[in-house]
Each structure stands twice: as C-alpha cells, then as structure tokens.
Amino acid sequence: MQDIRLAIFDWDGTLMDSVGRIVACVQGAARDCELAVPAPAQIRQIIGLSLDVAMSRLFPLCSDSGATRDERQIAALINRYRHHYLHDATPSPLFAGAGELLHDWQSRGLQLAVATGKSRRGLDRVLDETGLHPLFVTSRGADEARSKPDPLMLELILDELGLSPRQAVMIGDSVHDMAMAEAIAMPRIGVTWGVDSSDALSRHEPVAVVDSMTALRGLL
C-alpha cells in the first residue's frame, strides 16, 4: 500500500448514504409501471450496476410465468426511476466523516477519483451538491464505460492518469466494486456500511475490510 498514489471511490453506499433512496426510487418506478415491487434486499444486490443492467436483472425480459417483457418497459422503468430520484425526499447525506477523509487524503498529496454506477449527469449533480467536485482529479460514470464488475472504468481512469493498477486502490461497499478491481489485480478495500457484508466482500481478497470511516482513514 506504500506505492498507492490514487484512491478510487464508489459513490452510493460508500461515500453517500443513498441506499434507502435508491430502494425507494426503484420501488416507485415498479409501481408506476404496474410491475411487482422488488423487496429491499433484492434491490440492494443491484446497487452499483448501471441502470440498464440493474433493471434488467430486477425485471427480466422473460418472467418466471413465461410472459415476455418488452425492452421498452426497461427503458420506462429507468425513466421513472430517474424521475423519482430527482423528487424523492428520502435523505441521502454523505456518511459521517467522508468529507473529512477526502480533504485529509487530498491535502497529503493522494489523488482521488470516482468509479460509479451513476450516470455522468447524476454524478456531476451530487458532486456539485456536496461541494466535493474540486477534490477529484477524474471520474467515470456508468454511461462512460461498461457496467461493473467489468473493469473498463478503472482502466480508463488509470490510462488518463498514467498509473498502473498497483498504484491505485478501489474502495467500495459492494461485491461489484471488489470484483471490478480484482479483475485487473488492483488493491481493494471493502467498507461494510453500504450494501454487502464483510464475508461477501472478503471473498474478493481485499487488502482490508473496514467498519468505520476512521478505520478507513488510517489505512492510507
């Protein structure tokens, strides 16, 4: 970890406490489209994936009953989800200590980036709302690369900054984050305050799994 020059963060469930809002918005989209409403546990499993992949997994084109779902319905679900996300009142603050950690690492010369399942538009919006945009040297959203766990968004970030996978660390709360980094032998740190458990994260052999922002801050 002494060679690390770049910390790449997932966003939802890692820096921002937005899991509850995502669950509410997916359920709202399902109701709008008159589909069976997924349970929160089902929705948590797709957080971090790009919306098209996430909705296709939650609402397969061919259901167990054999009924065929038109791809246009997946597009409608995505549109309704985006509508709800803009207007839903479920709080989605930064996790306590996240801002302080980012400012501390950046002040000590560590470069920061984001690799997220959000779209570019959605990511820019939350970066501006939180005032964190200036801290990150680069970022990639779901519409700029293939969905996690494909490592393309990490590779694009590394290519832009001229770094190797061993010079960066991926920090995330989901197995999708861990698998993405594992695919290119990038060191990874799992955090347990998001969607996946310590046991699930540990299956991808992270350098550490931490239970608090304070513990994370002490690793670099």
Side-chain angles (χ1 to χ4, degrees), residues 2 64 73 101 211 217:
Q2 293 180 346
D64 291 339
Q73 198 163 47
L101 178 147
D211 299 323
R217 190 170 175 176

Side-chain angles (χ1 to χ4, degrees), residues 126-187:
V126 293
L127 286 173
D128 289 338
E129 288 173 353
T130 57
L132 296 178
H133 218 152
L135 296 181
F136 296 100
V137 295
T138 192
S139 58
R140 289 295 185 281
D143 50 353
E144 298 168 320
R146 292 186 287 272
S147 177
K148 298 176 184 179
D150 189 289
L152 179 59
M153 65 174 67
L154 295 183
E155 293 170 333
L156 292 172
I157 289 171
L158 293 175
D159 287 347
E160 178 182 343
L161 300 178
L163 298 174
S164 72
R166 303 306 300 178
Q167 292 175 301
V169 60
M170 177 69 207
I171 301 165
D173 67 304
S174 78
V175 294
H176 310 305
D177 302 316
M178 299 297 100
M180 177 174 64
E182 185 179 26
I184 57 171
M186 177 183 288

Side-chain angles (χ1 to χ4, degrees), residues 46-156:
I46 57 83
I47 292 176
L49 302 175
S50 61
L51 271 178
D52 57 340
V53 174
M55 291 300 189
S56 295
R57 288 193 184 182
L58 282 174
F59 306 97
L61 292 178
C62 186
S63 67
D64 291 339
S65 66
T68 299
R69 180 162 296 128
D70 196 295
E71 289 185 5
R72 287 174 295 183
Q73 198 163 47
I74 298 297
L77 281 161
I78 292 172
N79 287 334
R80 295 311 299 167
Y81 171 86
R82 287 174 171 159
H83 170 82
H84 281 283
Y85 202 90
L86 284 175
H87 300 286
D88 188 84
T90 306
S92 52
L94 291 173
F95 285 104
E100 292 85 350
L101 178 147
L102 293 170
H103 279 94
D104 178 52
W105 283 3
Q106 195 246 15
S107 71
R108 293 195 278 120
L110 189 65
Q111 293 181 297
L112 307 176
V114 176
T116 178
K118 286 186 174 300
S119 67
R120 166 53 54 192
R121 184 177 179 182
L123 177 59
D124 283 344
R125 183 173 60 249
V126 293
L127 286 173
D128 289 338
E129 288 173 353
T130 57
L132 296 178
H133 218 152
L135 296 181
F136 296 100
V137 295
T138 192
S139 58
R140 289 295 185 281
D143 50 353
E144 298 168 320
R146 292 186 287 272
S147 177
K148 298 176 184 179
D150 189 289
L152 179 59
M153 65 174 67
L154 295 183
E155 293 170 333
L156 292 172

